[in-house]
Every structure is written in C-alpha cells, then in structure tokens.
C-alpha cells in the first residue's frame, strides 16, 4: 500500500511525498524489465529472450532508471485519485529514490485551485451600473443611408474623379528622386477619395483623374506617422450611384414593410432591440466584474500562463505571427486574470447553489431556438447534433442561471446614454487619429 503524505506549502502549492513498498512494485518492475529486454541487442541472444540473470548482471542500473521513467507517473496519478486531488498544472518530480528490491520514494510539487470564499448573500451586496441607450432619428437616418449604399449602382467614370469616388489603381513606392523601389509595388488597390489618408492634399491630387493617369502621393506607412511616397497609376474610376430613399427601395430591402414610413418604424424597433442586447451584455459583464472585485480570489500563475499561451497560439493561427510575444502577454494578462478569477468563482457558485442544466431543459431550449428560426430549423437541429455545440449552449444557460441568482443581491443604477454622444465620441477619435 502506498504511503502518501501531503504538505501545504501555501494556498496554491502542495508537495506530495510518496513511498511505494517493493512488494507493490515487484510485478510492475519485472514487466518493465521484460520491455527493456526487447530493446537490447546482446550477442548470442534474441531480442526479448535474454535471461533475467544476465540482464540483471549487465544492465541493472539502466533497468532501474527505465522503470522509474516508465512507471513513476502511474503511481503519482494513482495517489492523486486515492486522495481526490486535482492539480491544475504538471507536477514537478524530485528526490527520486529507488533500488532493486527496495521501496520507491519521490516527491511531487503541484498547484491546486484556490479555495474560494463566497460572500454571505444579502440585499445590495453589489452595486452595478446598467446602461440605458436612447436612440434618435439620426440612427434611423444612418440605417436608411446604409441601405441606400448597399443597393447603389457602381458605374465606371471617364470624365474625371471626384470626392467619394473609388480609384482602382496600382501603387508603386518610389524614392525621394521618384525612382521606383524594386519589390515595393501594390497591385489593384481600391482608394476612396476623401477618406483618410486620401483626404487633404492627397484629395486634391486625386481629384479629376482618369484611366491611365499617374500621380505621386504621400501616405503614412506606420503608427508613428512616417510617410511613404507612392506613384499611383489609375486603372479605373468607379462611382456609387445611390438610389432614392423611397417606397421602391423599401420593397427591395424589406418586403414586409408597407411603405417608407412603416420601414422607418421597423428600423427604430430593430435599433432599440440591438441596443437593448448590448445593454444586457454590458450589464452582465458589470455584474461579473463587481463580484470578481468583491471576492478577488488568488489567480494561479500556471492557469494564467496556460491561458496566455492559448491566446498567443490563436493569434498566430489568425496570422498575427509578427506580434511580440512578451508585449502580447502584457496586453492580455489582465483579461486572462479576470476570466480565470470568474471561472473559479463560477465553479464555486455552481457547487454552492447546485445549479445545473437537466437534459430536458437543454432539449427544451433547442426546441425553442428551432421555433424562433423556423426557416432554418433543420440547420439548428444539425448544429446541436454536435456535442461541443450542446455544451456551449448548456454553459450559456448555466451562466444565465448564475446571473439571475446574482440579480437578487445587487443594487442596479441606470445610466442614460444618448446614441448622439456615442456618435460624437467616434467622430472625435477619428479626428484625433
């Protein structure tokens, strides 16, 4: 029987000391020896048929080392299972002691999830802001203009370009004397006149151009604002011919609308629904942030490292392989720590309150989603045939149960936000670069 001792180093780290008697090792040792013999070539013997006595006399030290390497993890995992301990990182093994016909001894240090002390649930435990967005007619106007642009006719222009036209062109970088730099040509690019960086002085240069015209422009080439000089050769000039915003356009973009007036009302409803969804998401995040701040659990370093490694891997997969790894880690570390803290708190809440999603609840939710998307019911059903998609839905439903529970213990403060102010903030950011 294994002798297992657990020592608490701190709130996260544990040291496990293991001692396994020879009598419990013996059968495993000889199995390991047999596997070892298959890897050995010895004159006069076939692989795997070398007598035990010969093996012991010539290779005992190697056999002992091979046994430790191949078996130590097994005893460690058995000990974790026996003690119902669940490390969150790979254990560090040290102080290994073993000789033939003697006990095996070793230590393993590892991290465990910290114990989360949840607060006493009481009224107004948390104070949280809830945004309340107030849209206006400008939002409706912008939606109408977007529908107008989406249904614009694109027409080639041969009488000279002007503001808001698109120039299809080749861009050849040139040096200060105007000589082309080899390997620095960008073919078939779209440039919109009047949009940064093709506004200001560049806009003047790009106005009135026709097919095959050439002009030299200066554009920023990095975040510092350094300029690169390019010779632009026009391949074509295209202009958007916008349709009128009338009942005819409405019938194209939203056949269910009776007329333009009805379409505006429907747009307003959709805008408000979209902002309500955004408000709910921000409110839920604010609740989570407030609870994380209230409890502020210890964040295990190994979990943070693993989280950041996964982020870097995803960034590389998405083509961001030029990103400095250390800079990326510093950028994403606060996000990693917040999400890990919430993960730990969430798990403790689930255990304390016994929240779970029964299979009937899950199937009922899937049925509801199919009903809401009748035209795509078969796609919805196919989507949830995959276990990982069912698991994501289940997690989302659990999250809602937790949020509904927390709503009883918070003081919510409505914060009115005018969409006009949001638009002004965006405009200022664009003007400030």
């Amino acid at each position: 029987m294994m002798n297992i001792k657990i020592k608490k180093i701190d709130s996260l780290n544990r040291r496990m000391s293991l001692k396994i008697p020879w009598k419990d090792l013996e059968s495993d040792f000889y199995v390991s020896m047999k596997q070892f013999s298959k890897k050995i070539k010895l004159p006069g013997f076939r692989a795997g048929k070398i007598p035990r006595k010969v093996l012991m006399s010539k290779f005992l030290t190697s056999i002992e080392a091979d046994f430790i390497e191949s078996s130590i993890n097994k005893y460690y995992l058995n000990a974790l299972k026996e003690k119902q301990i669940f490390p969150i990182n790979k254990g560090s093994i040290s102080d290994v002691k073993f000789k033939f016909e003697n006990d095996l001894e070793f230590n393993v240090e590892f991290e465990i999830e910290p114990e989360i002390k949840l607060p006493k649930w009481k009224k107004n435990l948390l104070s949280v802001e809830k945004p309340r967005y107030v849209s206006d007619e400008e939002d409706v106007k912008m939606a109408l203009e977007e529908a107008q642009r989406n249904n614009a006719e694109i027409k080639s222009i041969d009488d000279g370009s002007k503001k808001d036209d698109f120039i299809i062109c080749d861009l050849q970088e040139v040096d200060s004397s105007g000589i082309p730099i080899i390997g620095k040509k960008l073919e078939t690019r779209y440039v919109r006149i009047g949009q940064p960086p093709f506004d200001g002085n560049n806009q003047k240069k790009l106005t009135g151009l026709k097919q095959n015209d050439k002009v030299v422009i200066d554009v920023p080439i990095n975040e510092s604002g350094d300029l690169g000089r390019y010779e632009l050769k026009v391949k074509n000039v295209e202009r958007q011919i916008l349709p009128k915003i009338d009942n005819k356009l409405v019938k194209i973009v939203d056949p269910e609308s009776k007329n333009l007036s009805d379409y505006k009302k429907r747009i307003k409803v959709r805008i408000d629904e979209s902002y309500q969804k955004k408000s709910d998401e921000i409110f839920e995040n604010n609740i989570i942030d407030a609870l994380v701040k209230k409890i502020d659990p210890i964040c295990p370093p190994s979990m943070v490292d693993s989280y950041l490694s996964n982020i870097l891997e995803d960034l590389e997969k998405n083509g961001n392989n030029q990103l400095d790894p250390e800079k990326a880690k510093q950028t994403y570390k606060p996000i990693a720590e917040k999400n890990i803290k919430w993960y730990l708190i969430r798990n403790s809440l689930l255990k304390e309150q016994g929240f779970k999603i029964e299979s009937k609840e899950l199937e009922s939710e899937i049925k509801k989603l199919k009903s809401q998307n009748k035209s795509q019911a078969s796609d919805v059903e196919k989507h949830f045939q995959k276990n990982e998609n069912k698991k994501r839905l289940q997690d989302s439903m659990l999250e809602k149960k937790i949020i509904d529970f927390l709503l009883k213990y918070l003081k919510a403060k409505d914060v009115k936000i005018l969409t006009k102010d949001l638009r002004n903030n965006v405009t200022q950011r664009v003007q400030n670069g």
Side-chain angles (χ1 to χ4, degrees):
M1 181 181 293
M2 285 191 292
N3 183 310
I4 307 169
K5 293 180 181 178
I6 308 293
K7 181 179 179 181
K8 181 179 177 180
I9 300 173
D10 54 37
S11 57
L12 292 176
N13 292 281
R14 300 291 183 270
R15 179 185 294 118
M16 176 185 283
S17 298
L18 277 157
K19 185 175 182 179
I20 305 99
W22 168 251
K23 62 183 179 64
D24 295 332
L25 301 172
E26 189 172 5
S27 60
D28 285 346
F29 180 82
Y30 288 120
V31 169
S32 179
M33 180 189 290
K34 188 173 182 180
Q35 294 300 318
F36 179 86
S37 71
K38 293 178 181 179
K39 300 183 286 184
I40 297 299
K41 291 183 180 180
L42 201 62
F45 299 99
R46 286 183 295 160
K49 298 297 182 180
I50 304 170
R52 182 180 294 178
K53 186 178 288 188
V54 176
L55 278 171
M56 296 286 281
S57 65
K58 291 184 175 292
F59 303 106
L60 180 57
T61 302
S62 297
I63 292 170
E64 290 170 343
D66 197 65
F67 169 68
I68 291 170
E69 185 179 350
S70 63
S71 305
I72 203 167
N73 200 48
K74 168 188 171 182
Y75 301 118
Y76 168 52
L77 293 176
N78 286 343
L80 292 174
K81 186 176 180 181
E82 183 177 321
K83 294 294 182 181
Q84 287 294 289
I85 297 174
F86 306 96
I88 57 175
N89 67 334
K90 187 177 180 180
S92 175
I93 296 170
S94 62
D95 303 322
V96 180
K97 297 176 184 176
F98 174 70
K99 291 291 181 184
F100 176 61
E101 293 186 334
N102 285 277
D103 302 341
L104 170 63
E105 297 180 46
F106 61 94
N107 295 328
V108 191
E109 288 192 18
F110 52 85
E111 281 185 5
I112 61 168
E113 287 187 5
E115 187 178 341
I116 305 298
K117 188 177 180 181
L118 294 173
K120 185 177 179 181
W121 303 110
K122 59 183 180 181
K123 190 176 180 181
N124 297 336
L125 176 70
L126 304 170
S127 294
V128 179
E129 290 187 348
K130 181 176 184 179
R132 183 171 64 84
Y133 293 97
V134 181
S135 63
D136 55 28
E137 287 305 310
E138 184 64 22
D139 292 308
V140 175
K141 181 184 174 184
M142 289 171 67
L144 286 170
E145 289 173 350
E146 183 179 2
Q148 188 184 31
R149 287 192 300 272
N150 289 341
N151 289 273
E153 177 189 354
I154 304 300
K155 184 178 179 182
S156 290
I157 302 299
D158 56 14
D159 60 351
S161 60
K162 64 180 184 178
K163 186 176 183 292
D164 290 329
D165 284 350
F166 287 91
I167 294 179
I168 298 88
C169 60
D170 291 338
L171 291 166
Q172 171 66 61
E173 189 171 356
V174 296
D175 62 20
S176 57
S177 61
I179 297 174
I181 300 173
I182 297 173
K184 295 289 184 178
K185 185 176 183 180
L186 304 173
E187 295 188 355
T188 315
R189 300 294 194 230
Y190 278 73
V191 166
R192 189 171 188 180
I193 304 174
Q195 295 293 316
F198 305 104
D199 52 354
N201 190 48
N202 281 337
Q203 180 179 328
K204 293 177 183 177
K205 291 182 178 181
L206 295 172
T207 300
L209 298 181
K210 300 178 182 179
Q211 192 176 38
N212 295 321
D213 281 350
K214 293 181 181 180
V215 65
V216 174
I217 59 173
D218 296 307
V219 296
I221 56 175
N222 54 39
E223 293 180 359
S224 302
D226 295 330
L227 297 177
R229 177 157 290 188
Y230 289 86
E231 181 185 73
L232 181 151
K233 181 181 178 181
V234 180
K235 286 186 166 184
N236 196 20
V237 178
E238 294 182 349
R239 183 172 297 162
Q240 284 185 327
I241 309 299
L242 299 174
K244 288 183 179 180
I245 299 177
D246 54 16
N247 291 339
K248 184 178 178 182
L249 177 63
V250 168
K251 286 302 175 185
I252 295 172
V253 298
D254 189 0
E256 292 184 16
S257 293
K258 297 174 185 176
N259 49 42
L260 180 57
S261 177
D262 183 42
Y263 181 50
K264 288 180 179 179
K265 291 176 184 177
R266 287 165 63 86
I267 287 176
K268 184 71 164 61
V269 169
R270 286 200 289 266
I271 288 171
D272 288 341
E273 285 176 347
S274 176
Y275 274 116
Q276 184 59 52
K277 185 178 178 182
K278 181 179 179 179
S279 171
D280 292 341
E281 289 174 355
I282 292 173
F283 184 46
E284 288 185 10
N285 281 327
N286 288 347
I287 293 172
I288 290 170
D289 288 345
L291 188 60
V292 168
K293 185 177 180 180
K294 180 81 176 176
I295 299 172
D296 195 22
I298 295 171
C299 199
S302 62
M303 293 184 78
V304 175
D305 290 342
S306 177
Y307 193 103
L308 291 173
S309 294
N310 288 334
I311 288 178
L312 289 176
E313 191 175 315
D314 288 342
L315 289 172
E316 288 179 4
K317 284 181 182 177
N318 292 328
N320 295 316
N321 51 4
Q322 294 183 346
L323 197 66
D324 179 72
E326 289 308 312
K327 188 176 180 180
K329 284 181 180 180
Q330 290 304 313
T331 300
Y332 289 101
K333 189 176 180 180
I335 299 170
E337 289 178 342
K338 180 239 173 172
N339 287 341
I340 289 167
K341 287 180 179 181
W342 171 238
Y343 165 81
L344 296 169
I345 293 169
R346 183 181 184 273
N347 283 352
S348 292
L349 256 172
L350 292 176
K351 290 175 186 175
E352 181 190 79
Q353 299 299 322
F355 294 137
K356 57 183 178 180
I357 303 297
E358 303 289 353
S359 58
K360 286 183 180 179
E361 288 180 84
L362 187 61
E363 293 305 321
S364 176
E365 184 65 18
I366 293 173
K367 188 176 180 180
K368 179 181 171 183
L369 291 170
K370 287 166 65 177
S371 176
Q372 292 173 346
N373 300 274
K374 290 181 180 179
S375 62
Q376 298 175 312
S378 59
D379 292 334
V380 174
E381 185 172 359
K382 187 177 179 181
H383 177 77
F384 287 112
Q385 284 175 354
K386 294 182 179 180
N387 288 331
E388 61 266 30
N389 294 332
K390 275 191 175 182
K391 181 68 170 59
R392 275 194 285 270
L393 177 60
Q394 188 178 44
D395 287 342
S396 175
M397 292 170 70
L398 269 176
E399 199 89 351
K400 187 174 187 312
K401 280 194 175 186
I402 292 172
I403 295 297
D404 288 344
F405 168 78
L406 294 175
L407 285 172
K408 297 182 287 186
Y409 305 105
L410 62 85
K411 182 179 180 181
K413 178 186 176 183
D414 276 3
V415 178
K416 185 178 177 181
I417 301 174
L418 303 179
T419 57
K420 175 181 69 175
D421 293 334
L422 295 178
R423 292 194 299 272
N424 289 339
N425 289 339
V426 170
T427 301
Q428 287 176 6
R429 284 200 299 271
V430 170
Q431 289 174 347
N432 295 333

